[in-house]
Amino acid sequence: MSGIRDNGGVSLYRDEGVVLRTQKLGEADRIVTLLTRRTGLVRAVGKGVRRTKSRFGARLEPFSHVDLQLYTGRTLDVITQAETVRAYGESIVGDYSRYTAATAMLETAEKIVVVEKDPALRQFLLLIGALRTLGEGSHDSRLVLDAYLLRSLAVAGYAPALNECAKCGTRGEHRSFAVHAGGSVCTVCRPHGATHPAAQTLQLMLALLGGDWPAADASEERHRNECSGLVAAYLQWHLENGIRSLRLVERS
Ligand SMILES: [Zn+2]
């Protein structure tokens, strides 16, 4: 792996990552969970970061994009340096809808990548792209969140079927949607419990998945609501234990 060098028996490496979560450890330390560019999901100890004099404690907060130096520990790696690349938190924590959307993104990133130290570059790029877009405030926060969730699922191999029947593969825009079947389904395959979203809702999901922002921005509120509900149900179905913070996302 690039960036690793041996320093008297201690492996040092550099990487950059987004802080997903922090947990207290002992009196002054924190366990910091990050999604990194090269190493994937990393859980590392930030020593002394809860002390006010800590050199980099404030940089290791959720939503921060940081450049790091770490060494490989026996159980957890240890962070020895942290420099801020971009503090997305500044533009996110002051706005409730951005904050709840970003919180759901961080939780999803951790649960969708799952395995530690398994490179997940596309998930990392999706996450920093979504946090940047959210911070800019150029699109509705819920649309940014739903676009992120759909694309993150797609990268993980769980893209919902939207242009074909999830069961038989018949092409076309089918009007029924079944979370447990994998997306839209034709009238022949439609299982018990399938819903019947508006055609515009499925088109919105396609626009978000494909990054068609002009189409997504032009969508109506009721279709956004229906889309958010379907995306949330679909995500919860695919991820073990679900995403708790999705409950906080405002659904007007
Ligand atoms: Zn079918």
Side-chain angles (χ1 to χ4, degrees):
M1 198 183 294
S2 67
I4 290 188
R5 69 191 159 91
D6 201 49
N7 184 8
V10 179
S11 284
L12 278 175
Y13 66 101
R14 295 199 74 92
D15 209 335
E16 58 175 291
V18 174
V19 177
L20 303 181
R21 188 158 66 96
T22 66
Q23 298 153 271
K24 287 179 184 175
L25 179 69
E27 288 295 307
D29 305 342
R30 264 192 223 286
I31 296 175
V32 184
T33 304
L34 303 120
L35 181 59
T36 66
R37 180 182 287 272
R38 290 186 290 277
T39 323
L41 202 61
V42 170
R43 260 179 259 281
V45 179
K47 289 211 162 129
V49 295
R50 280 159 55 213
R51 293 202 180 98
T52 48
K53 282 184 194 165
S54 168
R55 285 171 295 124
F56 52 74
R59 297 170 203 157
L60 294 171
E61 293 292 336
F63 313 117
S64 289
H65 180 180
V66 285
D67 193 47
L68 300 158
Q69 187 177 71
L70 308 97
Y71 67 81
T72 310
R74 250 176 306 174
T75 49
L76 292 162
D77 293 355
V78 177
I79 298 167
T80 57
Q81 280 176 29
E83 300 294 339
T84 304
V85 176
R86 202 155 170 171
Y88 293 109
E90 288 169 11
S91 56
I92 285 171
V93 295
D95 179 293
Y96 187 73
S97 69
R98 288 184 198 176
Y99 175 77
T100 51
T103 302
M105 286 176 189
L106 299 190
E107 189 183 345
T108 301
E110 184 176 356
K111 287 189 174 161
I112 220 158
V113 174
V114 188
V115 184
E116 286 179 46
K117 293 200 169 176
D118 189 13
L121 177 62
R122 290 178 71 197
Q123 292 288 357
F124 169 77
L125 295 174
L126 267 182
L127 181 62
I128 54 170
L131 290 173
R132 191 189 310 124
T133 306
L134 202 58
E136 287 164 358
S138 43
H139 306 285
D140 179 270
S141 300
R142 256 190 328 167
L143 290 179
V144 179
L145 172 62
D146 286 339
Y148 168 77
L149 297 176
L150 282 166
R151 292 186 206 168
S152 180
L153 281 162
V155 166
Y158 304 130
L162 294 169
N163 271 328
E164 70 280 328
C165 170
K167 289 200 141 181
C168 71
T170 301
R171 303 285 298 171
E173 289 182 11
H174 304 292
R175 290 294 305 280
S176 298
F177 191 94
V179 165
H180 54 286
S184 57
V185 279
C186 73
T187 48
V188 178
C189 299
R190 189 173 59 204
H192 186 71
T195 57
H196 306 278
Q200 295 95 322
T201 299
L202 295 175
Q203 282 157 10
L204 174 57
M205 288 174 82
L206 268 173
L208 293 173
L209 196 54
D212 183 352
W213 282 108
D217 289 338
S219 60
E220 287 179 39
E221 189 68 26
R222 59 200 167 112
H223 301 133
R224 292 182 188 185
N225 289 339
E226 195 169 46
C227 172
S228 289
L230 289 179
V231 171
Y234 194 80
L235 183 75
Q236 306 286 25
W237 173 262
H238 281 284
L239 296 187
E240 232 178 303
N241 305 320
I243 301 296
R244 278 171 302 160
S245 50
L246 265 186
R247 291 191 209 125
L248 299 174
V249 177
E250 281 179 302
R251 299 191 189 283
S252 53

